[in-house]
Amino acid sequence: MSEVTSISVYLNQSPEFEPINPSHAMNARRGGFLQGTKIATTSGWKPVERIAVGDLVRTLDHGFKEVRRISTSTVVIPADERRAEYLPIFVPARAAFNGRPVWLMPEQGMALSLSKIDEGAEGISVVPARVLNGAGRMMSQAPGSSFEVSSLFFDEDQVIFVEGGLQAFCPSGRFSMRGTAQVQAYKVVDETAAEDLVNSIAIKGDMSALANPLGALPAPIPQDPIFPIRPPSGVRRPGRPGRPNAPVLFLRPEWQI
């Protein structure tokens, strides 16, 4: 088993806040992102440890959304731990459109696009990352004896992009994937269904259901207002009506007529 120490940060929290009596749990079966994992934001790809509450993160279906809470934990894995359900999933570089290796916590929800698995299906199904063990080149391993993990939470359930397009599920302010009685925007499937879906993509050898490299390209949001090229009605710029001034051409004297 492993030891976990957790600290949470909330939106509008005062800087003087200090966690009291951090909780301890002998369990590594949890979600979150290992520090160093890059997240798609308005500033481009950003390591998860550099994301702060209030930052805008790109989502699959709802544009850019504000991070409302961040939970950071230190996970310690004993050297003799061999059980796959207690070990992160190692995704080698280019195994799922990721340009570099990435680690996924065993209970981190990963969103599968059903249309990529079955042309007649639609929507998203969320599976725990641990069921990816053995699919393609992904496998359960320990990244080290001790590492830090951060979880991001939003006002609503969201699917965000990590490491080149991997689709990761982030719950709305809840620590576990199953959560409470709130209505879930994405379907979290049971163990049997999750294994069947992963087996399907493993047999096809196509990881596009797990990652979306084109949709993950971060696009910065302009902070300054964008003015129209044409002036408002009734207002004329110098020169040709309704158009910007023509550029001035500086010609050599012998070229001028």
Side-chain angles (χ1 to χ4, degrees):
M1 306 288 281
S2 64
E3 181 179 359
V4 180
T5 303
S6 300
I7 300 174
S8 293
V9 180
Y10 296 83
L11 188 66
N12 300 326
Q13 176 179 287
S14 63
E16 294 78 15
F17 174 85
E18 293 184 0
I20 302 176
N21 298 326
S23 60
H24 295 269
M26 301 298 291
N27 193 344
R29 293 187 60 173
R30 54 153 294 165
F33 308 104
L34 274 70
Q35 292 201 356
T37 304
K38 293 185 178 180
I39 311 293
T41 72
T42 54
S43 301
W45 293 104
K46 196 173 183 180
V48 66
E49 64 270 21
R50 291 176 51 195
I51 293 179
V53 170
D55 284 356
L56 295 176
V57 170
R58 185 164 188 169
T59 67
L60 176 65
D61 297 313
H62 306 106
F64 289 91
K65 289 296 181 181
E66 186 178 44
V67 176
R68 303 292 291 181
R69 178 162 66 90
I70 300 175
S71 174
T72 302
S73 303
T74 298
V75 178
V76 180
I77 297 182
D80 59 349
E81 182 61 77
R82 296 293 182 270
R83 292 170 293 179
E85 63 268 26
Y86 290 95
L87 296 174
I89 294 292
F90 176 65
V91 185
R94 295 177 294 279
F97 306 112
N98 50 309
R100 66 192 189 109
V102 59
W103 298 87
L104 303 173
M105 288 299 289
E107 290 300 322
Q108 172 57 48
M110 302 304 296
L112 302 182
S113 300
L114 298 181
S115 61
K116 299 292 185 178
I117 301 174
D118 182 356
E119 294 182 357
E122 295 182 354
I124 295 290
S125 287
V126 178
V127 304
R130 56 185 166 78
V131 301
L132 297 173
N133 181 33
R137 296 185 290 139
M138 294 177 279
M139 62 190 71
S140 297
Q141 291 183 5
S145 59
S146 176
F147 50 90
E148 292 191 354
V149 174
S150 296
S151 298
L152 308 180
F153 301 90
F154 301 84
D155 283 333
E156 300 175 346
D157 292 350
Q158 300 291 350
V159 171
I160 67 174
F161 296 106
V162 303
E163 289 294 346
L166 288 166
Q167 300 172 160
F169 173 71
C170 292
S172 56
R174 304 189 297 267
F175 280 100
S176 65
M177 288 172 54
R178 299 294 172 180
T180 60
Q182 299 180 21
V183 177
Q184 292 182 328
Y186 300 96
K187 181 181 180 181
V188 180
V189 298
D190 58 30
E191 191 83 7
T192 301
E195 292 177 353
D196 290 342
L197 289 172
V198 172
N199 287 337
S200 296
I201 64 176
I203 292 173
K204 294 177 62 176
D206 182 6
M207 295 298 161
S208 60
L210 179 66
N212 184 350
L214 297 179
L217 296 175
I221 295 179
Q223 303 299 322
D224 299 324
I226 300 176
F227 295 98
I229 295 177
R230 297 184 63 86
S233 177
V235 178
R236 298 295 183 185
R237 291 194 183 114
R240 300 181 65 181
R243 297 188 180 183
N245 291 332
V248 178
L249 299 178
F250 296 94
L251 304 178
R252 295 174 59 177
E254 60 268 25
W255 295 349
Q256 298 181 10
I257 300 176

